[in-house]
Amino acid sequence: MIPEYTQLKNSRFERKFVCNLSNHRIELEVKKNPALFHEIFNERYINNIYLDTNKLTYYYDNIIGNSDRKKARIRWYGDLFGKVNSPVLEFKIKSGVVGHKISFPLKSFVLNKDFSIENLTEIFENSDLPTWAVFDLKKLQPTLVNRYKRKYFRTFDKKYRITLDSELNYRNISNRFNTFQSVVKDNNSIILELKYDLPEDKNADNISNYFPFRMSKSSKYVNGIEKTHFNIAI
C-alpha cells in the first residue's frame, strides 16, 4: 500500500498527441504557440526497463481503460548498454485523468546479454527502497526495454511543459538469456506531451487547441508490448 502522503505528491495532468509531421514542423508549432514555449535543457536519450506481472496486469489495465492503474520502470539517460549510472525506479500512478510519479534512486548496474531477473533483485536489495516498493517489486519482472530521444520546452511562466519524443525503439526483455539483438523501430511517430499541475488545467485548452494535432491515449509501454510480444503493427 502506498502511503497517503505520497499519493498526493506531484499530481499533474498529461495531454498526449501523436504527430506524423517532421521534427522541424512540430517544433515550429510548439514555438509559435501563444503560450510562448522555449526550449530548455539539452535533448537527450531516455532509456527504460518496464516491469509488469507475469500476466501483464499493467498492460491490460491500460488496454481496458481502468481508471486506477500504474506503471513501474527503471529509467536512465545516455547510452542504452554497458554501465548504467544514476538509474531511477519510477512508479507512475494514475487515478482517472490525474497522474503522479514516485521516484527512487537505484544502485548502478550493467545492462548486457548477461542481464537477468537475479540482477534486478540484487539492484533492488542494494538500494534504499521503502517496504511497500520492495513488496510490489517482488510481484514484477522485466517485460520491455525502450529508448527514445527527448526535447524539452517550457512556458516563460514555468506553468506548462512540453516534451517531444522521437526515434522510438523497443526491445523484448525476459527474466534471463537476453541478447537484445531484435529491435523494433518507430521512426515515423513523434509523441508530444503537454504537462502541467492541477491548478493550471483551466487554461490548458488554450494551449492544446492551438495545435494541429489530435489528442491520443497512446502509451509507449502499450505500443512496445504489442510490437515485441504480440507482433501488432504500430
Side-chain angles (χ1 to χ4, degrees), residues 67-126:
S67 57
D68 296 320
R69 59 184 187 269
K70 65 181 176 180
K71 288 187 291 191
R73 68 190 178 200
I74 300 170
R75 168 166 290 189
W76 68 98
Y77 303 98
D79 294 334
L80 176 59
F81 296 113
K83 186 174 182 180
V84 174
N85 293 307
S86 304
V88 176
L89 172 68
E90 296 182 343
F91 292 92
K92 290 196 72 175
I93 300 157
K94 196 162 189 178
S95 299
V97 296
V98 178
H100 68 279
K101 181 168 61 178
I102 307 172
S103 304
F104 304 99
L106 295 176
K107 295 293 185 182
S108 297
F109 63 91
V110 175
L111 183 64
N112 58 23
K113 63 181 180 61
D114 298 319
F115 188 80
S116 67
I117 195 169
E118 287 79 15
N119 296 122
L120 268 182
T121 300
E122 184 178 356
I123 294 164
F124 296 148
E125 288 177 349
N126 291 332

Side-chain angles (χ1 to χ4, degrees), residues 50 59 143-146 168-172 184 218-232 234:
Y50 283 93
Y59 165 79
T143 54
L144 179 73
V145 174
N146 84 332
L168 284 74
N169 66 65
Y170 309 94
R171 289 175 169 87
N172 194 8
V184 179
S218 176
S219 162
K220 298 185 190 74
Y221 179 57
V222 168
N223 290 342
I225 289 295
E226 291 181 345
K227 286 300 298 179
T228 59
H229 287 61
F230 307 136
N231 295 317
I232 299 176
I234 294 175

Side-chain angles (χ1 to χ4, degrees), residues 12-223:
R12 68 181 185 186
F13 285 109
E14 294 183 355
R15 299 190 184 195
K16 294 184 180 181
F17 305 80
V18 178
C19 315
N20 296 111
L21 301 176
S22 67
N23 270 351
H24 178 69
R25 173 69 185 280
I26 296 169
E27 287 186 35
L28 284 178
E29 294 293 342
V30 170
K31 290 177 179 178
K32 73 180 186 180
N33 191 288
L36 301 178
F37 285 94
H38 65 286
E39 190 168 357
I40 56 173
F41 309 129
N42 295 317
E43 65 179 354
R44 56 185 176 178
Y45 282 97
I46 295 179
N47 312 291
N48 300 289
I49 296 176
Y50 283 93
L51 310 170
D52 207 333
T53 68
N54 60 359
K55 295 183 178 180
L56 297 178
T57 302
Y58 297 166
Y59 165 79
Y60 285 109
D61 279 348
N62 191 303
I63 290 296
I64 65 179
N66 279 347
S67 57
D68 296 320
R69 59 184 187 269
K70 65 181 176 180
K71 288 187 291 191
R73 68 190 178 200
I74 300 170
R75 168 166 290 189
W76 68 98
Y77 303 98
D79 294 334
L80 176 59
F81 296 113
K83 186 174 182 180
V84 174
N85 293 307
S86 304
V88 176
L89 172 68
E90 296 182 343
F91 292 92
K92 290 196 72 175
I93 300 157
K94 196 162 189 178
S95 299
V97 296
V98 178
H100 68 279
K101 181 168 61 178
I102 307 172
S103 304
F104 304 99
L106 295 176
K107 295 293 185 182
S108 297
F109 63 91
V110 175
L111 183 64
N112 58 23
K113 63 181 180 61
D114 298 319
F115 188 80
S116 67
I117 195 169
E118 287 79 15
N119 296 122
L120 268 182
T121 300
E122 184 178 356
I123 294 164
F124 296 148
E125 288 177 349
N126 291 332
S127 301
D128 187 18
L129 299 176
T131 302
W132 67 262
V134 174
F135 178 79
D136 276 8
L137 291 168
K138 288 181 178 179
K139 299 178 289 185
L140 306 179
Q141 60 188 31
T143 54
L144 179 73
V145 174
N146 84 332
R147 174 178 170 84
Y148 46 89
K149 185 165 66 175
R150 171 167 284 185
K151 284 192 169 187
Y152 303 82
F153 301 84
R154 188 175 62 196
T155 55
F156 280 96
D157 61 11
K158 300 182 180 181
K159 293 182 179 180
Y160 300 90
R161 189 162 67 96
I162 280 177
T163 57
L164 289 181
D165 297 336
S166 60
E167 299 181 23
L168 284 74
N169 66 65
Y170 309 94
R171 289 175 169 87
N172 194 8
I173 184 173
S174 56
N175 287 345
R176 53 187 62 85
F177 308 121
N178 291 292
T179 65
F180 301 114
Q181 292 182 349
S182 179
V183 55
V184 179
K185 297 182 179 181
D186 179 8
N187 292 322
N188 297 320
S189 299
I190 297 177
I191 309 299
L192 185 155
E193 294 187 32
L194 173 66
K195 307 173 184 183
Y196 52 92
D197 293 337
L198 270 60
E200 312 307 327
D201 187 52
K202 58 184 179 297
N203 295 318
D205 283 345
N206 297 331
I207 296 175
S208 61
N209 290 343
Y210 189 85
F211 291 129
F213 319 120
R214 288 188 177 182
M215 274 200 296
S216 169
K217 294 182 179 179
S218 176
S219 162
K220 298 185 190 74
Y221 179 57
V222 168
N223 290 342

